Amino acid sequence: MESIEEQWNQPLASDILSNSWTNITDAKKAVKTWILDRAESWAPSHHNDKRRLQLHCLSKGCSFHIRIAQKKDGLFGIICYTPHDCPPSTHAKFKQRNSAWYLASLLERDIAVNRQIKPKEIQERARIYHQLPRVPYMPAWRARERVRDIHDGDEGASFQLIEA
């Protein structure tokens, strides 16, 4: 079993660049999570569709660019990557870092262990363990509900299974 310190280490750039995914949805989520883990930001390109994703920096002068597309072997992977060369202050107030899907991916284990965890405690854990200083209450609550739905299933779908 890994120690707590080893579990929170950020992946290296080479780790994500060599990965391949079977579908574009998993590839998009992995790359966006990787960018957020590095405390960076992105702006979407106008050329995105169901087969590719292109992201660039919010700052016009930055050369950051990443492109995901299907490779010759049929798997999806990173085709092109240029790192950020803008100052870190460019990424300071990027709202995606406080999104429910990102918080749920970071704190899934904590929420699964303690099903009655309060959103305030989620905010505190995000601040301490993931260096997210100002997580709003509602994204913390939505992250908890998202993980609960993943583990328990959708309540409406469960009632549909009961015969009339």
Side-chain angles (χ1 to χ4, degrees):
M1 177 142 228
E2 296 177 336
S3 70
I4 297 219
E5 291 81 17
E6 292 171 353
Q7 293 175 10
W8 303 119
N9 287 342
Q10 295 180 356
L12 301 173
S14 60
D15 293 340
I16 195 80
L17 296 176
S18 61
N19 285 355
S20 295
W21 298 272
T22 55
N23 59 40
I24 190 71
T25 306
D26 292 342
K28 287 177 180 181
K29 183 176 180 185
V31 168
K32 287 180 178 180
T33 301
W34 176 72
I35 293 170
L36 291 173
D37 286 345
R38 295 166 50 96
E40 296 174 346
S41 60
W42 71 81
S45 175
H46 299 291
H47 305 290
N48 295 336
D49 57 23
K50 293 180 182 179
R51 298 176 317 195
R52 65 182 171 198
L53 173 71
Q54 296 182 53
L55 303 173
H56 56 85
C57 187
L58 292 170
S59 174
K60 300 291 183 203
C62 182
S63 63
F64 171 72
H65 181 80
I66 192 163
R67 183 180 304 140
I68 305 168
Q70 194 167 15
K71 296 180 179 180
K72 292 180 181 177
D73 60 2
L75 297 174
F76 290 89
I78 296 175
I79 305 298
C80 176
Y81 172 67
T82 306
H84 282 277
D85 57 7
C86 57
S89 62
T90 305
H91 316 291
K93 295 188 178 182
F94 189 56
K95 290 185 178 181
Q96 289 287 338
R97 284 203 84 197
N98 292 332
S99 62
W101 69 268
Y102 181 62
L103 291 172
S105 69
L106 290 177
L107 299 166
E108 181 174 7
R109 182 183 59 201
D110 296 329
I111 297 169
V113 169
N114 180 6
R115 303 299 300 261
Q116 303 305 319
I117 191 170
K118 304 285 186 215
K120 286 285 187 189
E121 190 173 344
I122 292 172
Q123 290 173 309
E124 190 67 22
R125 287 175 183 260
R127 185 181 64 75
I128 292 171
Y129 297 117
H130 302 288
Q131 292 76 40
L132 297 172
R134 292 180 202 94
V135 174
Y137 183 87
M138 282 309 291
W141 181 82
R142 288 183 183 116
R144 182 187 71 179
E145 295 304 310
R146 182 178 284 240
V147 172
R148 283 181 176 176
D149 284 346
I150 290 169
H151 288 280
D152 295 340
D154 184 27
E155 188 175 312
S158 298
F159 278 108
Q160 301 246 339
L161 296 174
I162 299 173
E163 293 183 25

